[in-house]
Amino acid sequence: GFKVTDYLTGLDACITLAFAPDGRLFFLEKNTGRVRVVKDGRLDPSPWAEFEVDPVGERGLLGVAFDPAFEKNHFVYFYYSVPESPNNRVVRMKEVEGRGRNPVKVLEIEDHVPASNHNGGNINFGPDGFLYITVGDGGGSPGRSQEDTNLLGKILRVNVRGRLPVRYKRPSDIFYAKGLRNSFDMAWNPANSTLYATENGPVGYDEINRIVKGGNYGWPVEKGFNADHKHDNPIWDFGLRSVAPTGIVFYPPWGNFPRGYRDNMFVVDYNYGRIYRIRLTGAAMDKVRREDFSVWMPAGFANTEFADITVGPDGALYLAGFSKIVKIEYTR
């Protein structure tokens, strides 16, 4: 069956998890700006790096991604909220003797309407080797999600192999998709290399979207699923109840869960501390039957406010709560 344990407790606003290629678990403390590392189940008492961040509201140290060539170049990327500024910033650091050094700016995400919410903040490398970045609408003016003159309310796709910071003539040059309110996380389906993302709605109408290049997901003109949708529909919306979906991950084929769990999508939420197990159908894997969508609670599970979910090299699921990391493993 499934075994649930508190992997780490007493944490300070743990917001994001990511495993390095060498098996170390990195997690971010949203409010302190500290990058923490767990190796062989033990937490390093000293931070890997520490950023000065604006921690107000949903702002802070929000995203981390390992370069696909990390074992050679030792590059790690971060997304954080700039202190004394409404901006968010993506930077690259290099690991030197077990610590992050030499920060280099990758991208400045400018915002001229200060607010403390809807920062997005998830970053990840796609199968194409490009860095993808979720950016919220900034909270101050939802209409910017539809505008091509700013980076807000978008998923961005940037090439980090050239000169940094990333250069572009028009903001739309680095759009992958637009019309988003606040996507907390994204993941690629290993079965078809397609991108999916969670989306927080205004009051209800939280979504799971299948993200296609050039897609427009309708915010703030439209929300939730609608048969007459003029923009790209979500593959699922959560109805009128606000669940605040955050982390999303696909369970890999090499994991040790039973065969029926392979390629399943798992999503966690912040408001109710739930895990959703989702199986996709259709030729484009853009359909979810209600019987393929379930609240999945292993025995011994205790609800908490979850901000992220990932799969470890051991095949277990790891869930980030603000005060702890929960591990779910399968034991035969």
Side-chain angles (χ1 to χ4, degrees), residues 255-269:
N256 61 9
F257 280 22
R259 183 178 297 274
Y261 289 83
R262 295 174 186 175
D263 295 333
N264 288 188
M265 177 195 295
F266 287 92
V267 173
V268 290
D269 75 42

Side-chain angles (χ1 to χ4, degrees), residues 53 67 73 87 111 150 185 195 197 204 255 257 268 277 318 322:
V53 302
D67 194 287
N73 61 28
N87 293 356
D111 186 349
N150 64 75
D185 199 7
L195 180 62
F257 280 22
V268 290
R277 180 189 175 197
Y318 291 78
F322 255 35

Side-chain angles (χ1 to χ4, degrees), residues 63-125:
V64 56
F66 292 92
D67 194 287
F70 171 78
E71 291 170 301
K72 292 183 177 179
N73 61 28
H74 311 292
F75 290 157
V76 189
Y77 297 77
F78 297 93
Y79 182 116
Y80 70 93
S81 303
V82 182
E84 300 181 2
S85 167
N87 293 356
N88 288 289
R89 182 178 296 160
V90 179
V91 300
R92 185 187 74 194
M93 299 190 81
K94 183 173 184 177
E95 183 172 59
V96 180
E97 296 179 351
R99 295 290 182 263
R101 305 282 188 243
N102 309 320
V104 176
K105 184 191 295 187
V106 174
L107 186 67
E108 189 82 2
I109 299 163
E110 297 182 352
D111 186 349
H112 303 293
V113 184
S116 64
N117 58 347
H118 300 183
N119 296 275
N122 185 259
I123 58 176
N124 215 330
F125 280 91

Side-chain angles (χ1 to χ4, degrees), residues 58 79 111 117-121 134-146 151-155 177-185 197-207 209 211 216-224 242-245 271:
E58 297 174 0
Y79 182 116
D111 186 349
N117 58 347
H118 300 183
N119 296 275
T134 66
V135 184
D137 67 11
S141 179
R144 294 179 296 183
S145 293
Q146 290 295 326
L151 301 179
L152 303 172
K154 317 295 192 303
I155 291 178
K178 69 178 184 178
L180 299 161
R181 183 175 182 266
N182 196 33
S183 291
F184 268 95
D185 199 7
T198 57
E199 167 82 325
N200 277 225
V203 178
Y205 300 107
D206 299 322
E207 301 173 358
N209 287 303
I211 304 294
N216 185 338
Y217 295 85
W219 177 255
V221 181
E222 296 164 320
K223 58 187 180 182
S242 290
V243 305
N271 287 352

